[in-house]
Amino acid sequence: MKMHFSPAALVLLISALSSPTDAGKCPKMCSCDGAKLTVACISKNLTEVPPTVDEITLKLDLRNNNLRELPRGAFTHTPYLTHLNLQRCNIIIVSEGTFRTLGRVVSLNLAYNKIDVLYQESFDGLSSLKELHLDHNRIEEIQPGAFTQLGFLNMLGLTHNQLVYIPNMAFQGLNNIKWLRLSYNSLNNLAHEAFAGLFTLNRLSLDHNELQFFPTQTMNRLREVTRLDMSFNPMTYLGEESVSMAKLTHLYLDHMSLQDLSDQALSGAPQLSHLDLSHNQLRNLEPLLGPKELRSLNLTGNPSYCNCYMRPLRQWASVRRVKLLGACAGPPHLSDEPLQAVDPQKLRCRSRGETLKDEFEREDERSESALPTAKPKPKVKCPANCDCDADAQHATCEGRGHTKVPQGFPTKTQLLDLRSNHFHYLPANSFRGSGQVVSLHLEFCKIHEIEGGAFQGMKKLYYLYLSDNDLTSLEPEAFAGAPELTYLHLEGNRLVQFPGSALKLLPSLFVLHLERNAISKVEPSGLLSSVTPKLRELYLTNNTITSVAKGALDSAYLGILHLDSNQLTEMPTHALSEAASVEELSLSHNSIRWVGPNAFQPVSQSLKRLYMDQMGMEKMSQDALAGLGPGLRALTVRGNQLEELPDLSPLSGLEVVDLQDNPLLCDCSLLPLRRWIENITLEVIAICANPPEIRGQKVRDVKVFMSCPENVSPPDEKVVVVASGGLSKVKKPKPSLSKTPAVKAKAKAKLPKAAKKKPQKKPVSSNAKHSKKIL
């Protein structure tokens, strides 16, 4: 008897049969989810990676095992992994080639292991990696070239290790790094070129180290850093021009040993808006020269003596509208008076005798407070199953299984960490009594709905992390009550539309993360200029965007725009027409095969970094980069199908160039590129794919160009547009070559298909011969 199945039933049957939850597919002692393609083998005392994990697994969790060593090829049977968790596995050694088949992994967690050295080939193969967690290991050495394969890495965590020194070019290859975390090490020295090549770095954490002096020369290389944390380092003094970082907006120098600060120490940081000098030894401070955008100066916990020497600072803060945090430590009649509220007329110097008397009284108070009979500090009020630190003004309930937002945190709490709980739903007024909170973490809380007014009363909220939840939409009033919100993280949700209506209540929004959602279109309604007038950075990576409408990106301030890993098929030139301030544009991993003339003309005066890797690009017009000149610092077109390139000679300011993995046709039409390579000091890797006899050789080295006429006709003369499969191509007359065997062969017949294949990659030496490394 024949059985008949409907198409839907057949799909379900095939899915069930191929599910990794089958007994034969799921490793013993592990749990598998066939729907989500995840395998978890947590705390099973495993000594090796299970060899029977299903090939189609996307997420593999091996936490709390005893792997000790990761051998070469440990993950060859799971090539589709995107997330790999190897926390607390007693790993000591990561062998060369361990991850070589994991080209799709975006998150790798190796925290809480026993790794002591990062070798040159440790992370080879992780070409798509976005996050790498190496915190809480024993790392004391980073070998040259350890990170050269991690060109898409956004965040690198190296906190709680044993690093003492960072050598030159230690992080070479991190072309897209945004946040580098080096907190809680023993760093006492940084080489001048320690951070060379990190042109996209926005945030650097160096707190809790042993730096005794501000590493001025090292930091000068970091032109894009906006946030720098140097707190908890034993520095005692900052001299003139110590900080020269043009885009720095937030600087943390708290809990150090600063006794003095030159009024010109920050003269090279004109954009600085928030300066934290709390808990140092500063008795008084001169008005700061340089930072024209300063809005907040934190002097809490300093022995600020409010006499005539403090008056200039108080008057300067009043005129500049700088908010002063902290209180007077003396004289007695002004003790505990807030610096922001003290009347400048009261800041006067008294006679020498009275001043000495005040000093003696303060010394007596210090002595009394140090006596063993002093009363112990009162117990800090804190919700059940949470931890609160009154001194640090932090509170955390991370991963405690809460289903409702706990209530009753200390009123002075500034950082509230509630990540990895199970809230599902945030009702109105969820954070009563949290009016001082500056940073709120709600990642991985399974939130699928936020009621209007959920953040009501959070007037000082500056950072909100809602990453990796289940949001499909946002109510217009979702962020009501948090007008100062500046950094909003919504990546890793299921949003299908740009949440424009919900952003109208956020006039201060500066950075918006919407990566890894399901947004398919970017429309003019409810975007940027009318909704978020101050938006500077917009991240839309890994959505399903097929088009960006004209006017959708209108903004006078937008500086960073990431549209990579979407489904665009043509350049969004028209959409950029009113976004004339864009400095960084990423279009990599879209399907844009043709880049026409004047593609970047709307942003030609501002663009500094342009990324167009892995797009299947077959052709670039000779005028594709028209208008771009010395201002462009980075250009990458790696992994496309380009046989020719436009003239790059106008781009005299380039510091990063990546032309690798393109099937370049080395004939006289490529002569301008050859001449450009010869006339620059940068190392540019450009490989010939055709003609076959010189395949694999560098453009710089081949001799075919010696036969080219000195005056080659401009490639774009007498262009002929040829329609081919709906794709317009430009066919150009080739300059005549001398009759070499290669040219004769090409004239007789077309090249075989084999000649079109990409040349095999050659290993790149880890020894940088130039101060500017070009991939």
Side-chain angles (χ1 to χ4, degrees):
M1 180 178 176
K2 295 183 178 180
M3 298 182 67
H4 297 281
F5 296 96
S6 68
L10 188 60
V11 170
L12 289 173
L13 178 61
I14 294 172
S15 176
L17 291 174
S18 62
S19 170
T21 55
D22 289 351
K25 294 289 186 181
C26 192
K28 185 180 179 181
M29 302 173 66
C30 300
S31 60
C32 306
D33 187 329
K36 296 182 179 179
L37 301 178
T38 62
V39 176
C41 313
I42 303 171
S43 302
K44 302 299 182 182
N45 201 30
L46 298 174
T47 57
E48 64 176 6
V49 178
T52 57
V53 176
D54 197 299
E55 183 184 35
I56 63 173
T57 300
L58 297 182
K59 295 184 179 181
L60 178 59
D61 193 340
L62 297 172
R63 278 176 291 167
N64 298 316
N65 284 291
N66 192 30
L67 302 180
R68 297 183 66 81
E69 181 176 355
L70 295 178
R72 183 172 184 172
F75 301 97
T76 53
H77 55 294
T78 53
Y80 298 103
L81 283 182
T82 60
H83 293 73
L84 178 57
N85 195 332
L86 294 165
Q87 286 187 78
R88 302 182 188 276
C89 285
N90 288 317
I91 297 170
I92 301 172
I93 298 174
V94 179
S95 303
E96 175 189 348
T98 294
F99 306 113
R100 197 156 283 164
T101 57
L102 299 183
R104 292 176 171 85
V105 168
V106 295
S107 177
L108 172 61
N109 198 328
L110 284 162
Y112 293 95
N113 282 292
K114 299 176 181 178
I115 302 168
D116 56 359
V117 178
L118 298 181
Y119 296 99
Q120 181 175 349
E121 309 292 337
S122 293
F123 303 110
D124 274 15
L126 297 170
S127 56
S128 297
L129 196 64
K130 297 291 183 68
E131 296 182 0
L132 176 56
H133 299 268
L134 291 163
D135 313 282
H136 293 275
N137 275 276
R138 301 174 180 175
I139 298 168
E140 57 185 25
E141 180 184 357
I142 301 175
Q143 292 193 351
F147 304 113
T148 52
Q149 301 296 315
L150 307 183
F152 284 100
L153 196 71
N154 293 152
M155 193 285 296
L156 173 59
L158 284 164
T159 67
H160 296 88
N161 277 285
Q162 298 175 15
L163 293 168
V164 176
Y165 172 68
I166 302 293
N168 287 327
M169 307 296 289
F171 303 103
Q172 179 184 356
L174 300 182
N175 299 328
N176 284 285
I177 190 73
K178 300 298 181 188
W179 187 8
L180 177 58
R181 298 164 52 191
L182 292 164
S183 313
Y184 291 95
N185 278 276
S186 300
L187 292 170
N188 58 50
N189 194 8
L190 305 175
H192 290 170
E193 299 287 341
F195 302 128
L198 303 185
F199 301 114
T200 61
L201 189 67
N202 298 140
R203 185 171 181 179
L204 176 61
S205 302
L206 282 165
D207 53 288
H208 294 85
N209 277 287
E210 302 296 330
L211 296 167
Q212 298 184 34
F213 305 96
F214 192 91
T216 303
Q217 288 183 286
T218 305
M219 295 300 171
N220 284 353
R221 274 70 172 173
L222 300 174
R223 286 171 290 185
E224 298 298 322
V225 166
T226 59
R227 301 175 61 83
L228 175 61
D229 192 346
M230 300 287 294
S231 57
F232 291 92
N233 278 282
M235 298 183 197
T236 58
Y237 175 66
L238 247 63
E240 294 184 3
E241 299 181 351
S242 291
V243 184
S244 293
M245 304 174 74
K247 293 192 176 180
L248 191 66
T249 60
H250 291 67
L251 177 59
Y252 300 91
L253 300 171
D254 54 286
H255 292 88
M256 307 211 317
S257 302
L258 290 174
Q259 299 175 16
D260 195 12
L261 189 78
S262 168
D263 61 344
Q264 297 187 45
L266 307 170
S267 59
Q271 301 298 319
L272 193 65
S273 60
H274 290 72
L275 175 61
D276 192 343
L277 292 169
S278 61
H279 302 284
N280 279 286
Q281 302 300 316
L282 296 169
R283 187 170 170 80
N284 54 61
L285 194 67
E286 292 291 325
L288 299 173
L289 304 178
K292 299 177 181 179
E293 304 294 330
L294 197 64
R295 293 294 174 264
S296 175
L297 175 58
N298 192 349
L299 292 169
T300 304
N302 280 278
S304 303
Y305 200 75
C306 292
N307 59 8
C308 62
Y309 296 110
M310 188 64 81
R311 188 187 303 158
L313 180 72
R314 177 66 183 84
Q315 293 174 332
W316 167 81
S318 179
V319 172
R320 292 288 190 91
R321 297 183 180 179
V322 177
K323 185 174 183 180
L324 287 178
L325 302 176
C328 300
H333 71 284
L334 291 177
S335 184
D336 295 328
E337 184 81 11
L339 294 175
Q340 185 75 19
V342 67
D343 186 351
Q345 299 303 317
K346 294 182 180 179
L347 298 174
R348 54 181 183 271
C349 291
R350 308 168 73 189
S351 66
R352 180 173 176 80
E354 290 174 319
T355 303
L356 288 173
K357 181 180 178 182
D358 289 343
E359 290 284 350
F360 287 133
E361 288 178 356
R362 188 162 68 256
E363 288 298 327
D364 290 342
E365 290 173 3
R366 288 175 182 168
S367 300
E368 289 175 7
S369 64
L371 292 175
T373 55
K375 293 181 180 180
K377 292 183 178 180
K379 189 175 180 180
V380 178
K381 168 187 168 186
C382 194
N385 203 20
C386 296
D387 298 313
C388 303
D389 187 331
D391 292 333
Q393 297 176 322
H394 292 181
T396 180
C397 313
E398 180 184 354
R400 306 294 174 86
H402 291 283
T403 57
K404 294 183 179 179
V405 176
Q407 301 294 318
F409 293 101
T411 56
K412 293 185 178 180
T413 299
Q414 293 188 358
L415 186 147
L416 181 55
D417 192 344
L418 301 173
R419 75 186 83 185
S420 300
N421 284 287
H422 309 290
F423 298 137
H424 298 284
Y425 169 70
L426 293 182
N429 297 306
S430 288
F431 302 92
R432 291 189 297 274
S434 300
Q436 299 298 312
V437 169
V438 174
S439 181
L440 174 59
H441 289 264
L442 290 166
E443 304 102 306
F444 298 100
C445 286
K446 301 183 179 180
I447 300 168
H448 62 80
E449 184 178 353
I450 300 175
E451 186 178 351
F455 305 101
Q456 195 67 44
M458 305 192 79
K459 295 182 179 180
K460 293 189 177 181
L461 187 62
Y462 205 74
Y463 306 92
L464 176 57
Y465 299 87
L466 283 164
S467 317
D468 297 287
N469 282 290
D470 297 319
L471 295 166
T472 56
S473 62
L474 288 167
E475 292 187 16
E477 303 293 318
F479 302 118
E484 296 299 319
L485 190 60
T486 305
Y487 293 81
L488 177 57
H489 290 257
L490 289 165
E491 64 267 35
N493 282 279
R494 292 183 292 157
L495 297 169
V496 295
Q497 293 182 338
F498 189 91
S501 60
L503 305 179
K504 288 183 179 179
L505 299 177
L506 303 178
S508 300
L509 192 63
F510 188 79
V511 176
L512 177 58
H513 287 272
L514 285 166
E515 304 98 313
R516 296 183 288 116
N517 278 283
I519 300 169
S520 60
K521 294 181 180 179
V522 186
E523 302 288 350
S525 57
L527 240 183
L528 305 191
S529 58
S530 61
V531 177
T532 54
K534 294 184 180 178
L535 191 67
R536 177 68 178 166
E537 301 177 16
L538 177 59
Y539 300 93
L540 289 163
T541 303
N542 265 314
N543 278 272
T544 59
I545 297 170
T546 57
S547 64
V548 183
K550 184 176 182 179
L553 301 174
D554 289 5
S555 172
Y557 295 98
L558 188 64
I560 296 178
L561 175 61
H562 283 202
L563 289 166
D564 44 309
S565 297
N566 278 287
Q567 297 174 18
L568 295 172
T569 57
E570 59 183 30
M571 296 298 299
T573 304
H574 294 301
L576 296 170
S577 59
E578 298 297 329
S581 298
V582 171
E583 296 181 1
E584 177 174 311
L585 177 61
S586 180
L587 295 165
S588 301
H589 293 272
N590 282 284
S591 298
I592 302 175
R593 298 189 176 187
W594 160 250
V595 181
N598 304 307
F600 307 99
Q601 192 67 45
V603 293
S604 60
Q605 299 304 307
S606 60
L607 197 61
K608 294 182 179 179
R609 296 172 298 280
L610 176 58
Y611 305 107
M612 297 189 292
D613 305 312
Q614 306 287 342
M615 300 200 314
M617 186 171 21
E618 299 174 356
K619 189 72 177 176
M620 289 182 72
S621 163
Q622 284 297 318
D623 295 323
L625 304 176
L628 299 175
L632 194 68
R633 296 285 186 264
L635 173 65
T636 68
V637 292
R638 186 174 188 147
N640 285 291
Q641 298 299 316
L642 294 170
E643 294 185 349
E644 302 173 9
L645 287 164
D647 185 10
L648 302 182
S649 58
L651 311 180
S652 57
L654 283 176
E655 297 169 348
V656 174
V657 182
D658 193 346
L659 310 177
Q660 290 194 71
D661 300 331
N662 280 285
L664 296 177
L665 174 59
C666 288
D667 62 11
C668 289
S669 64
L670 210 65
L671 183 59
L673 177 67
R674 163 65 177 265
R675 287 176 173 166
W676 177 73
I677 292 175
E678 289 178 339
N679 292 328
I680 60 174
T681 58
L682 310 178
E683 181 184 351
V684 179
I685 298 176
I687 307 296
C688 299
N690 289 306
E693 59 268 22
I694 58 174
R695 181 186 306 147
Q697 296 184 39
K698 292 182 179 180
V699 171
R700 182 190 289 270
D701 299 336
V702 295
K703 311 229 185 263
V704 66
F705 299 105
M706 297 176 64
S707 303
C708 295
E710 283 299 315
N711 298 314
V712 181
S713 300
D716 270 352
E717 283 188 1
K718 299 181 182 178
V719 297
V720 181
V721 179
V722 180
S724 175
L727 177 66
S728 295
K729 292 188 177 181
V730 177
K731 186 176 181 181
K732 297 179 290 189
K734 303 290 184 182
S736 60
L737 290 167
S738 62
K739 294 183 179 180
T740 63
V743 177
K744 289 179 181 179
K746 184 182 174 186
K748 290 181 179 180
K750 291 183 178 179
L751 291 174
K753 290 185 178 179
K756 298 287 184 180
K757 291 183 180 178
K758 296 180 182 179
Q760 186 174 356
K761 288 174 65 176
K762 292 185 178 182
V764 181
S765 172
S766 62
N767 296 322
K769 296 181 180 179
H770 304 277
S771 61
K772 297 173 182 175
K773 173 68 178 175
I774 307 304
L775 296 177

